[in-house]
Amino acid sequence: MHPERLAFFQDMLKPRKVAWEQQRTDVLAAGSAFYLATGRIEALDEAGARSYLEFLGSRLVFLIDWNRARKQLRGFLRGPDRLALLSWAAETEMGHRGFLELGGARLVNQAIEAAAGSSMHFGDRLCDVLGDAETLDFLRFVFQASTEGLLTGQSRALIHDRIRVTFGTHFSNEEQQLLRLAADHAGLILK
């Protein structure tokens, strides 16, 4: 595992008080490096062991394609916010699979192209345009709409449309704020 992925996994297991032994880097037979950590939990009885194993299994699922999802979010959020979004998705059991299933970064980029037009330029990070908090809120909506939409059998086109419309409201709010600031600035210059 990568150190960031391991830290994410360890954070998910905190509610069950896992005791982590020394962490180290090792090399696979093929020569690839990996990060190794061993966690221990003491169960009082068989029912406690079963309960923990169920919990562990429910958390392992959030590691599948975790790194892929983290990389897909690079153009939208800064590093700590990407990890916060993935943690939120695991805690709320939304996950990131719906987001990836519907196209990942391409899903969000299509919404940006539809709503922002030429107002955003290639290479602009979404958080630099909308702000960190608003971008995080929008991407939480994307994860939730993707997961819930797929689970309830909504058409992919409908989910894409919902995401485009929601982005449009976030972006138009940002444009209105910029226009207000410009008008205030112009008013100060003319005085």
Side-chain angles (χ1 to χ4, degrees), residues 93-94 144-154 159:
E93 300 204 358
M94 278 301 135
Q144 185 172 358
S146 299
T147 299
E148 290 176 352
L150 289 173
L151 289 174
T152 59
Q154 293 177 8
I159 300 166

Side-chain angles (χ1 to χ4, degrees), residues 4 8 62 64-90 94-109 112 120 123-128 131-132 134-144 146 163:
E4 282 181 324
F8 174 78
F62 295 110
I64 298 169
D65 285 334
W66 180 87
N67 202 42
R68 184 172 152 223
R70 185 182 60 86
K71 287 179 180 179
Q72 293 269 323
L73 294 167
R74 281 184 186 155
F76 312 118
L77 293 169
R78 298 175 213 296
D81 285 339
R82 287 193 306 263
L83 298 178
L85 176 61
L86 292 169
S87 292
W88 169 84
M94 278 301 135
H96 52 268
R97 289 294 310 146
F99 164 74
L100 291 174
E101 189 72 28
L102 290 173
R106 189 176 68 241
L107 171 69
V108 176
N109 283 327
I112 292 170
M120 280 187 70
D124 287 349
R125 189 183 294 191
L126 188 58
C127 62
D128 292 333
D132 295 329
E134 191 154 354
T135 301
L136 195 53
D137 285 345
F138 169 67
L139 289 170
R140 282 185 183 131
F141 171 79
V142 169
F143 275 47
Q144 185 172 358
S146 299
I163 290 169

Side-chain angles (χ1 to χ4, degrees), residues 15-50:
R16 297 294 178 105
K17 297 182 172 95
V18 176
W20 293 97
E21 295 179 5
Q22 184 178 8
Q23 302 170 10
R24 62 185 172 90
T25 304
D26 211 335
V27 178
L28 295 172
S32 301
F34 70 96
Y35 208 67
L36 177 69
T38 304
R40 292 187 186 275
I41 186 160
E42 291 188 30
L44 299 176
D45 55 18
E46 186 176 331
R50 284 184 192 277

